[in-house]
């Protein structure tokens, strides 16, 4: 009896092997585009393997398992530092993010196969930017890291598109360029005329991306502020279990570091307008209640005569409790502006709590469930912070363009806030009216432990928000990297090293000139891309339901 010619071969099908190779190529190119490698031009090529998979795979097993598996490995690689904080948190986060990558390939497949077919130079920007916007701003309060457009920050002419539509417009432009390349690769049988059309269109799209850079004037600096950044080096394991004995050693050491830096500046003839410490480096209950740590800072400020911006917890309504020892009404992650004139001091409360770092979206509605998950995945941590009710802006002395005394308006994004586009825009702008001259980010990047790539990625995200809002930012980060980011997104030459104590006086040029279009548009480009993606998918779904009765064709192969 002869074997049927349709019998399944013993070796893996060729399409399955191709799927694993293509998905692995995407993961490699995407990883190399971000820190620690920073080979940003590769991000233009990273979507091509996914486009080939979406348009050429004939069965689900050729693309779903390899895309999901390689994406899980990719996201675990990016976030391995989480093991130091929560061993149980790495796997669910990696699987969660891999779902978005797999969703992107499925959507690309829906749009770019069958009839009607959306060309890849349209489908790729819709899918890549639409899904990124969904993940970064909507689902579970958003996670705006490792987005498709972010490596382009090191290409200033392209990154300047953010002045018009934020990073989302950069993503649309870059997706269109990748889509044109993918169209070329995925349609080898196209007519010579079509290839000539692609050869002409790609340079036109590339040149169009340079328009903001060519047409926008940066303006002249409208004064300066000399800010002394004190980069502390408190490891995360100490921060979680910061004993009173260690606090009594660490805080005086931070004060000595500050005094030494001020003495060096004065010896060099540099006037300091403001000193800044990182997030929660003062283990106080707040300056409203007062304790030995807050009083030490007050003495320091009176002694030096220089205002100080210091990250500290804030407990309102604190009181003795017979059962728990202490109780309070509200607890904030805050920054205080301590001035030589004494209290009361201006306070900034964090308005956007870090998802799964300071709050659990959805899950925090059930206190019992939150406690159980923390006990399993992050023992020793507690999510008892309140979000600030409004954005508070500060004012400190500075220097005018002619060297005369003046004032500088500050906004203080704390920790993760400097990566959230919507929060940052609200801090800086009201329509096209500028509300602040400088952003000062206080952060504790000790959570990244030995992963310096995570520190660089945090800084990269902050650079996008400084660029989009045309506002300089000074980052003061525990364990680094502290830095000055210009309104064009570029880094000042001075930059704190990772996992080291460091201090530096940044002479910050204050912005002048017209508001960027992004100040008015905000995230409208991101919303438009997501809605455009949904519209195209709905139209394609409607067509597949009615096509058998009208055209007799099917639109998606699976």
């Amino acid at each position: 009896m002869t074997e049927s010619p349709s019998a399944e071969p013993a070796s893996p099908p060729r399409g399955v092997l191709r799927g694993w190779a293509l998905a692995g190529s995407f993961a490699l190119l995407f990883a190399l585009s971000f820190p620690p490698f920073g080979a940003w031009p590769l991000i233009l090529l990273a979507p091509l393997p996914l486009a080939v998979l979406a348009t050429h795979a004939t069965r689900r097993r050729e693309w779903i398992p390899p895309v999901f598996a390689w994406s899980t490995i990719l996201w675990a690689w990016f976030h391995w530092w989480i093991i130091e904080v929560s061993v149980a948190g790495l796997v669910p986060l990696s699987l969660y993010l891999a779902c978005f990558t797999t969703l992107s390939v499925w959507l690309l497949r829906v749009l770019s196969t069958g009839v009607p077919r959306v060309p890849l130079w349209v489908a790729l920007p819709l899918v890549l930017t639409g899904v990124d916007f969904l993940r970064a701003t909507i689902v579970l309060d958003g996670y705006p890291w490792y987005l498709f457009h972010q490596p382009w920050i090191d290409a200033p002419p392209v990154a300047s598109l953010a002045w018009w539509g934020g990073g989302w417009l950069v993503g649309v432009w870059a997706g269109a360029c990748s889509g044109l390349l993918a169209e070329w690769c995925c349609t080898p049988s196209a007519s010579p005329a079509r290839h000539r059309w692609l050869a002409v269109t790609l340079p036109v799209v590339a040149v169009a991306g340079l328009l903001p850079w060519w047409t926008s004037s940066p303006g002249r600096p409208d004064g300066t502020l000399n800010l002394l950044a004190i980069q502390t080096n408190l490891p995360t394991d100490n921060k979680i279990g910061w004993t009173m004995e260690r606090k009594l050693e660490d805080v005086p050491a931070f004060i000595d570091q500050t005094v030494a830096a001020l003495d060096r500046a004065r010896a060099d003839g540099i006037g300091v307008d403001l000193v800044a410490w990182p997030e929660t480096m003062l283990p106080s209950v707040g300056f409203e209640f007062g304790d030995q740590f807050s009083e030490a800072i007050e003495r320091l400020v009176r002694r030096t005569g220089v205002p100080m911006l210091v990250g500290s917890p804030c407990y309102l309504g604190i009181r003795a409790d017979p059962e728990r020892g202490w109780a309070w009404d509200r607890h904030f992650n805050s920054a205080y502006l301590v001035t030589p004139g004494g209290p009361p001091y201006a306070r900034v409360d964090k308005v956007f709590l870090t998802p799964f770092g300071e709050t659990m979206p959805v899950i925090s509605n059930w206190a019992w469930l939150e406690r159980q998950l923390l006990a399993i995945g992050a023992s020793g941590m507690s999510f008892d912070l309140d979000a600030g009710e409004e954005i508070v802006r500060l004012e400190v002395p500075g220097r005018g363009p002619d060297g005369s005394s003046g004032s500088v308006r500050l906004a203080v994004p704390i920790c993760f806030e400097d990566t959230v586009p919507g929060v940052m825009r609200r801090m800086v702008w009201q329509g096209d009216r500028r509300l602040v001259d400088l952003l000062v980010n206080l952060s504790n990047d000790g959570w990244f432990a030995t992963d310096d790539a995570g520190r660089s990625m945090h800084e990269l995200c902050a650079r996008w928000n400084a660029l989009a809002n045309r506002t300089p930012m000074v980052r003061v980060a525990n364990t680094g990297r502290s830095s000055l980011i210009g309104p064009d997104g570029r880094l000042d030459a001075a930059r704190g090293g990772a996992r080291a104590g460091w201090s530096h006086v940044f002479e910050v040029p204050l912005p002048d000139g017209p508001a960027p279009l992004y100040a008015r548009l905000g995230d409208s480009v991101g919303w438009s891309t997501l809605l455009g993606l949904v519209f195209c998918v709905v139209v394609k779904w409607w067509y597949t339901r009615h096509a058998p009765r009208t055209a007799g064709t099917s639109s998606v192969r699976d």
Side-chain angles (χ1 to χ4, degrees):
M1 185 175 179
T2 60
E3 185 180 8
S4 168
S6 63
E8 187 76 16
S11 59
R14 182 178 177 181
V16 173
L17 293 176
R18 180 182 62 184
W20 283 92
L22 288 170
S25 299
F26 156 74
L28 178 62
L29 291 169
F30 197 81
L32 292 175
S33 304
F34 287 90
F37 308 106
W40 63 265
L42 294 180
I43 197 65
L44 186 67
L45 304 178
L48 268 61
L50 298 184
V52 174
L53 264 180
T55 55
H56 286 72
T58 57
R59 288 168 290 188
R60 291 184 178 91
R61 63 174 177 166
E62 294 180 12
W63 69 273
I64 294 180
V67 168
F68 189 79
W70 274 115
S71 298
T72 302
I73 295 170
L74 171 69
W75 292 115
W77 156 258
F78 280 144
H79 297 92
W80 68 268
W81 58 270
I82 289 179
I83 293 176
E84 300 283 342
V85 181
S86 171
V87 175
L90 179 62
V91 173
L93 176 62
S94 302
L95 294 174
Y96 166 75
L97 294 172
C99 289
F100 284 96
T101 310
T102 309
L103 172 65
S104 297
V105 179
W106 177 78
L107 290 169
L108 190 61
R109 185 172 174 80
V110 168
L111 297 182
S112 60
T113 61
V115 179
R117 177 182 177 272
V118 178
L120 287 170
W121 62 273
V122 176
L124 261 177
L126 284 178
V127 170
L128 294 176
T129 306
V131 173
D132 271 356
F133 183 75
L134 179 71
R135 169 170 73 82
T137 63
I138 299 175
V139 180
L140 298 180
D141 290 348
Y143 180 52
W145 293 44
Y146 299 103
L147 305 178
F148 170 66
H149 69 266
Q150 287 175 335
W152 290 98
I153 192 67
D154 289 316
V158 174
S160 62
L161 277 169
W163 293 334
W164 287 4
W168 312 118
L169 185 58
V170 179
V172 170
W173 175 88
C177 291
S178 296
L180 286 166
L181 292 174
E183 195 77 31
W184 193 303
C185 297
C186 296
T187 56
S189 60
S191 66
R194 184 171 185 180
H195 278 179
R196 285 195 297 270
W197 178 85
L198 291 171
V200 172
T201 305
L202 183 58
V204 171
V205 172
V207 170
L210 305 179
L211 287 177
W213 187 58
W214 285 335
T215 59
S216 298
S217 172
R220 296 180 178 179
D222 188 24
T224 59
L225 174 79
N226 287 352
L227 188 150
L228 172 59
I230 302 296
Q231 177 175 300
T232 53
N233 188 32
L234 182 64
T236 300
D237 53 353
N238 288 352
K239 188 69 168 63
I240 294 176
W242 208 4
T243 63
M244 179 56 71
E245 290 75 12
R246 287 301 306 269
K247 292 175 183 178
L248 293 174
E249 295 177 5
D250 290 333
V251 173
F254 301 159
I255 291 175
D256 290 342
Q257 181 184 354
T258 303
V259 171
L262 282 170
D263 289 343
R264 286 195 301 271
R266 286 168 177 164
D268 294 336
I270 301 173
V272 176
D273 301 307
L274 180 67
V275 176
W277 276 17
E279 172 196 13
T280 64
M281 285 301 107
L282 188 70
S284 173
V285 297
F287 286 78
E288 293 84 357
F289 187 80
D291 55 27
Q292 59 183 315
F293 298 111
S294 62
E295 290 170 359
I297 296 300
E298 290 180 298
R299 289 194 297 270
L300 173 63
V301 170
R302 287 196 299 267
R303 170 185 167 188
T304 62
V306 180
M308 186 168 177
L309 185 65
V310 57
S312 169
C314 169
Y315 294 84
L316 298 183
I318 192 168
R319 58 193 179 276
D321 184 276
E323 296 183 359
R324 296 187 298 171
W326 294 99
W328 51 85
D329 297 328
R330 306 198 74 185
H331 175 201
F332 299 104
N333 186 353
S334 303
Y336 288 87
L337 179 61
V338 184
T339 57
Y345 304 118
R347 188 187 80 235
V348 175
D349 299 328
K350 190 176 184 186
V351 296
F352 184 89
L353 300 183
T354 304
F356 298 98
E358 294 171 323
T359 185
M360 289 191 178
V362 181
I363 296 171
S364 290
N365 292 324
W366 293 277
W368 177 87
L369 180 59
E370 181 184 89
R371 288 195 300 271
Q372 301 310 308
L373 291 176
L374 282 173
I376 296 172
S379 180
M381 294 182 65
S382 61
F383 289 173
D384 60 350
L385 284 176
D386 297 291
E389 296 177 354
E390 61 180 358
I391 294 173
V392 175
R393 300 168 185 87
L394 307 174
E395 192 167 305
V396 298
R399 294 172 175 81
D402 57 353
S404 60
S405 60
S407 61
V408 179
R409 299 166 297 174
L410 305 180
V412 186
I414 298 174
C415 189
F416 185 84
E417 286 183 320
D418 68 335
T419 71
V420 184
V423 173
M424 296 291 285
R425 185 175 66 89
R426 292 197 302 273
M427 285 185 176
V428 177
W429 301 101
Q430 186 179 64
D432 60 356
R433 184 166 71 92
R434 178 179 288 279
L435 301 178
V436 302
D437 308 303
L438 172 64
L439 294 158
V440 182
N441 170 236
L442 308 184
S443 184
N444 176 19
D445 283 0
W447 300 109
F448 293 111
T450 58
D451 184 9
D452 296 336
R455 293 179 174 85
S456 296
M457 188 63 208
H458 190 178
E459 182 182 65
L460 187 151
C461 295
R463 290 171 65 189
W464 274 107
N465 286 313
L467 167 66
N469 292 287
R470 273 197 165 179
T471 302
M473 180 191 304
V474 176
R475 297 191 68 248
V476 186
N478 177 49
T479 74
R481 294 186 168 97
S482 301
S483 57
L484 167 61
I485 304 170
D488 57 359
R490 302 191 192 197
L491 289 168
D492 185 87
R495 189 181 181 207
R499 291 173 281 158
W502 183 80
S503 62
H504 184 76
V505 178
F506 290 111
E507 184 177 356
V508 186
L510 304 177
D512 191 15
L517 185 59
Y518 174 73
R520 284 190 174 275
L521 292 180
D523 292 334
S524 58
V525 173
W527 278 109
S528 299
T529 307
L530 178 59
L531 293 175
L533 174 61
V534 172
F535 175 79
C536 290
V537 170
V538 170
V539 168
K540 194 70 178 280
W541 171 83
W542 181 90
Y543 187 87
T544 59
R545 287 290 183 267
H546 294 81
R549 296 194 296 271
T550 59
T553 59
S554 176
S555 61
V556 179
R557 300 171 299 163
D558 239 341

